[in-house]
């Protein structure tokens, strides 16, 4: 899974896709996860970091994580290429 | 730097909810450091807002509509030129371009320079000629067909699947989902813009646009891709953003190179979900959102004037990505005296 390389992510959670001109607002956790994805980190690498930092269990996080990733795919912000 | 003394005439002062490009073109040229500028506005109607924008136009004249004939228009330009000594004229309406192109020699004889596409370039990119244009230059275009009367509407279903786009030869575009709707839009469009009315295949995707300037020798002097972010009920961009879209610029270069395009141009494209680009229209002039290009670093109106003056212009190589424009409306307070003057004397 790869975040499109020209996607701009600001600290405030504002995401801009310069190819489509679309922009999105993420909450702090969404921003953090997208930053991890931009560093090419896998779910297995991201999961322990989130579980340690936030009050969430593994099953709940997994469910929200893949829902979030699906949304990113739907908006063409990430692709499945490795 | 020595400034060039320049008297510029421009049409398209209708800064309404269906804006002409005149005022943003003038705004761009006013921001150039190259000219010692005097601007002559040419208006068709007495309530075109640009007439009353004193920081944009130094003098305004009413001119006759192109529908009154080339002769009437050129005679009026001749009379204005005898007073103003116009150096460069930038027509900004599709409907008047043909008249000005045809009159190019007469204008040159008057000392007025333009920088317009040739009649051949203008004709072959017409909406009704778009399929041939696509074949000739290897560009993806939607199927389209000109229709001239009601009896042609029945046969649309033989060539197209509904919905279809119903378009005027210069302006207006509507989506029609059935024959009855085509009939309604056919009447509406033909009454306003004449015939033919063009039926075009509906291509699903996102509309994106490019503003560009060709030097007439196959070179792109500048090009900026944009996506409309806010569209009015008239389909006009009320907000837009510049894109990072090398494939759109490649397509623009290809069109300019293969047609040897001369002058301003707006490409209207549809990007499909498979990332294919379909050309749905080529407007042979600078669009009303030109100031976004100026704001993003490409002063294309300034470059166009320089090309018209025969100067060498270096192509722009970059622009700011993610630069936006947001249009707004603004009420000017105008003395009745001014309205009276433009209405009765035809100049102000």
């Amino acid at each position: 899974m790869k975040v499109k390389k020209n996607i701009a992510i600001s600290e405030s959670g504002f995401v801009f896709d310069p190819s489509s001109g679309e922009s999105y607002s993420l909450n702090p956790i969404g921003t953090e996860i997208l930053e991890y994805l931009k560093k090419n980190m896998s779910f297995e690498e991201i999961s322990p970091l989130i579980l340690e930092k936030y009050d969430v269990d593994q099953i709940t996080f997994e469910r929200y994580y893949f829902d979030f990733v699906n949304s990113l795919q739907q908006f063409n912000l990430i692709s499945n290429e490795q | 730097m020595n400034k060039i003394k320049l008297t510029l005439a421009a049409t398209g002062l209708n800064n309404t909810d269906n804006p002409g490009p005149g005022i943003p073109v003038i705004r761009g040229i006013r921001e150039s450091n190259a000219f010692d500028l005097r601007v002559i506005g040419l208006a068709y109607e007495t309530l075109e807002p640009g007439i009353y924008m004193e920081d944009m136009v130094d003098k305004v004249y009413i001119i006759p509509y192109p529908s009154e004939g080339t002769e009437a228009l050129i005679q009026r330009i001749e009379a204005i030129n005898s007073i103003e000594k116009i150096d460069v004229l930038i027509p900004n309406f599709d409907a008047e371009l043909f008249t000005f192109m045809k009159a190019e020699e007469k204008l040159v004889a008057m000392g007025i320079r333009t920088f317009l596409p040739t009649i051949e370039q203008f004709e072959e990119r017409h909406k009704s000629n778009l399929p041939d244009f696509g074949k000739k230059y290897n560009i993806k275009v939607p199927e389209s067909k000109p229709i001239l009367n009601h009896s042609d509407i029945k046969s649309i279903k033989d060539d197209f699947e509904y919905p279809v786009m119903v378009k005027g030869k210069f302006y207006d575009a509507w989506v029609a989902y059935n024959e009855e709707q085509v009939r309604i839009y056919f009447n509406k469009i033909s009454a306003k813009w004449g015939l033919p009315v063009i039926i075009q295949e509906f291509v699903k995707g996102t509309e994106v646009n490019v503003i560009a300037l060709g030097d007439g020798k196959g070179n792109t002097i500048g090009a900026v891709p944009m996506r409309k972010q806010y569209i009015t009920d008239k389909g006009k961009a009320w907000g837009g953003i510049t894109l990072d879209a090398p494939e759109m610029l490649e397509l623009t270069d290809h069109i300019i190179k293969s047609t040897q395009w001369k002058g301003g141009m707006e490409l209207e494209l549809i990007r499909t979900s498979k990332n294919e680009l379909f050309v749905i229209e080529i407007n042979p002039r600078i669009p009303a959102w030109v100031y976004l290009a100026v704001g993003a670093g490409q002063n294309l109106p300034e470059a166009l004037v320089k090309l018209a003056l025969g100067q060498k212009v270096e192509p722009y190589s970059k622009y700011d990505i993610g630069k936006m424009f947001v249009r707004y409306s603004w009420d000017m307070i105008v003395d009745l005296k001014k309205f009276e003057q433009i209405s009765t004397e035809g100049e102000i």
Side-chain angles (χ1 to χ4, degrees), chain A residues 6 16 18-22, chain B residues 227 241 243-244 271 321-322:
Chain A
N6 57 354
F16 174 58
S19 312
S20 68
E22 294 286 359
Chain B
R227 186 177 68 87
I241 188 161
L243 302 177
D244 177 14
R271 182 154 54 194
I321 293 161

Side-chain angles (χ1 to χ4, degrees), chain B residues 89-94 96-104 114-126 133 212-217 256 259-266 282-286 304:
Chain B
L89 168 65
I90 305 182
N92 287 302
F93 285 121
D94 293 10
E96 69 188 6
L97 284 178
F98 188 76
T99 306
F100 282 111
M101 283 173 202
K102 278 200 87 165
E104 193 182 348
T114 55
F115 201 72
L116 298 171
T118 63
I119 290 192
E120 194 196 351
Q121 290 168 347
F122 179 77
E123 289 294 337
E124 73 174 358
R125 56 85 244 171
H126 259 303
F133 186 89
L213 176 64
D215 69 354
K217 295 170 186 156
I256 287 180
T259 58
Q260 304 276 295
W261 190 265
K262 185 180 167 204
M265 160 195 277
E266 181 193 26
I282 300 174
N283 294 318
R285 48 150 180 86
I286 288 175
L304 186 142

Side-chain angles (χ1 to χ4, degrees), chain B residues 292-333:
Chain B
L292 176 64
V294 179
Q298 295 196 5
N299 194 335
L300 299 182
E302 177 196 32
L304 186 142
V305 170
K306 287 181 174 172
L307 288 169
L309 293 171
Q311 294 185 1
K312 188 168 164 43
V313 179
E314 283 304 317
Y316 283 105
S317 57
K318 57 180 186 182
Y319 60 91
D320 296 338
I321 293 161
K323 196 66 99 180
M324 291 167 58
F325 81 92
V326 181
R327 209 167 262 166
Y328 68 108
S329 62
W330 175 264
D331 301 335
M332 286 184 289
I333 302 301

Side-chain angles (χ1 to χ4, degrees), chain B residues 70-209:
Chain B
T70 308
E71 207 48 46
L73 180 63
I74 297 306
Q75 270 178 15
R76 179 67 173 143
I77 299 287
E78 212 158 11
I80 295 166
N81 191 51
S82 67
I83 305 162
E84 302 293 349
K85 303 275 176 280
I86 298 165
D87 297 306
V88 175
L89 168 65
I90 305 182
N92 287 302
F93 285 121
D94 293 10
E96 69 188 6
L97 284 178
F98 188 76
T99 306
F100 282 111
M101 283 173 202
K102 278 200 87 165
E104 193 182 348
E105 273 181 32
K106 281 186 188 166
L107 293 170
V108 170
M110 287 184 231
I112 302 174
R113 277 160 283 195
T114 55
F115 201 72
L116 298 171
T118 63
I119 290 192
E120 194 196 351
Q121 290 168 347
F122 179 77
E123 289 294 337
E124 73 174 358
R125 56 85 244 171
H126 259 303
K127 280 174 230 180
S128 49
N129 298 334
L130 210 53
D132 293 336
F133 186 89
K135 269 186 213 128
K136 185 173 173 187
Y137 298 114
N138 195 22
I139 295 160
K140 285 197 178 75
V141 297
E143 280 304 317
S144 53
K145 184 182 172 183
I147 56 170
L148 293 161
N149 51 53
H150 274 215
S151 60
D152 292 338
I153 295 175
K154 272 219 162 320
S155 64
I156 289 173
K157 64 176 186 314
D158 303 334
D159 303 314
F160 297 90
E161 263 180 47
Y162 280 103
V164 294
M165 296 300 298
V166 187
K167 294 185 164 187
K169 63 176 170 179
F170 296 124
Y171 301 104
D172 264 356
W174 301 88
V175 185
Y177 289 87
N178 53 46
E179 208 173 297
E180 193 45 45
Q181 287 184 347
V182 173
R183 219 172 288 278
I184 293 166
Y185 297 136
F186 177 87
N187 291 339
K188 200 173 176 147
I189 291 169
S190 58
K192 201 167 174 190
W193 301 112
L195 294 168
V197 167
I198 291 99
I199 302 297
Q200 199 174 72
E201 175 192 356
F202 181 85
V203 182
K204 209 174 159 204
T206 310
E207 186 185 331
V208 282
N209 305 74

